Amino acid sequence: RRAAKMRLGLDPESLVAVLTLTAYRDSGESEGVRIEQLQMAREGLSTAYQLVIKPHPIESMTVLRRFVEEYARGATILDGTIPIDDLLNAADLLLNRGVSQVCFEALLKAIPVVVLDVGDHTPFHDSAPGVVASDSRGVSEIVRGIEQSADPMAPYRSIFDRHIPFASARAKENTCERISSIIDTHSAHRRTEQWLEFALTYAWQVDRHVA
């Protein structure tokens, strides 16, 4: 982790709290939502952490810098095209709205996740409500609990049980088996599953509220 921090130009002696953002004006990332996330992160983290912000690759750096300079001064902004895996290798903590797959990628690397509650109902609200913060004080309390815990990943066990039940290798095997079955039987999904997948795709690419 120390080496990964150095490769990204971060302070290797300091803990790294990564805030990953959705592109501005996309998927519910409104002005108010962005400001709230930045303020919660800045005010909720102790001086032991360097706040590192990873924008979406399509994000305008000019727009982002304006927000950061006003609401999270002192935070480090990384290029949005940096592979998320490289950043997670340097992270001690992930901050996110809880609506991105990066949350699961972090958990698979045993990196604690703090969900910033800005109005989205996420899997964490149901399975790991103890890591959901509604304000900066909540962020501080969750981070303090993580720091003092003998098992920082314990709060996420229900997330793993419900949403990540298989190891990566087994998940790939299951996927390949399913694809082979579809090829052999020419049957993909039941009607309800098709509608669900359509809604999820529409939510991802078009408008999640309409979906």
Side-chain angles (χ1 to χ4, degrees):
R1 187 164 291 172
R2 177 185 173 87
K5 292 176 184 179
M6 294 178 68
R7 283 193 293 271
L8 293 175
L10 304 175
D11 180 1
E13 305 301 330
S14 176
L15 295 171
V16 169
V18 174
L19 171 61
T20 51
L21 296 173
T22 305
Y24 187 51
R25 299 296 188 190
D26 182 47
S27 299
E29 188 85 357
S30 66
E31 180 175 355
V33 165
R34 170 151 298 179
I35 291 171
E36 191 170 0
Q37 289 177 87
L38 292 173
Q39 289 180 327
M40 289 171 68
R42 184 200 65 197
E43 298 170 5
L45 293 171
S46 72
T47 55
Y49 291 86
Q50 52 184 319
L51 176 59
V52 177
I53 297 173
K54 163 75 164 67
H56 191 281
I58 67 172
E59 175 75 68
S60 165
M61 296 299 283
T62 301
V63 172
L64 178 59
R65 284 195 186 93
R66 174 171 58 83
F67 277 101
V68 174
E69 288 173 2
E70 185 168 357
Y71 300 103
R73 185 175 293 276
T76 299
I77 304 175
L78 294 183
D79 191 296
T81 61
I82 289 175
I84 190 62
D85 205 53
D86 292 352
L87 183 53
L88 290 178
N89 288 337
D92 298 282
L93 184 73
L94 176 72
L95 305 174
N96 189 272
R97 286 165 52 194
V99 297
S100 171
Q101 72 178 36
V102 71
C103 295
F104 295 96
E105 294 178 47
L107 293 180
L108 288 170
K109 289 179 174 289
I111 299 169
V113 174
V114 178
V115 174
L116 307 179
D117 188 349
V118 289
D120 298 291
H121 190 83
T122 74
F124 293 87
H125 284 74
D126 296 323
S127 300
V131 302
V132 178
S134 58
D135 53 31
S136 58
R137 181 177 178 180
V139 172
S140 297
E141 292 174 351
I142 294 169
V143 173
R144 193 177 306 116
I146 290 170
E147 293 172 339
Q148 296 174 351
S149 175
D151 182 5
M153 300 305 294
Y156 308 96
R157 287 208 180 100
S158 293
I159 288 285
F160 277 93
D161 291 343
R162 184 171 182 180
H163 299 286
I164 321 176
F166 303 110
S168 298
R170 184 55 195 161
K172 290 178 182 178
E173 292 174 5
N174 289 350
T175 302
C176 291
E177 289 172 3
R178 178 61 176 150
I179 292 172
S180 296
S181 174
I182 292 170
I183 293 171
D184 292 339
T185 64
H186 304 286
S187 174
H189 300 285
R190 295 188 299 274
R191 179 69 65 177
T192 54
E193 291 174 334
Q194 289 178 316
W195 276 113
L196 175 60
E197 290 203 354
F198 174 76
L200 291 173
T201 301
Y202 198 89
W204 171 51
Q205 294 185 327
V206 187
D207 188 320
R208 62 197 178 95
H209 297 294
V210 174

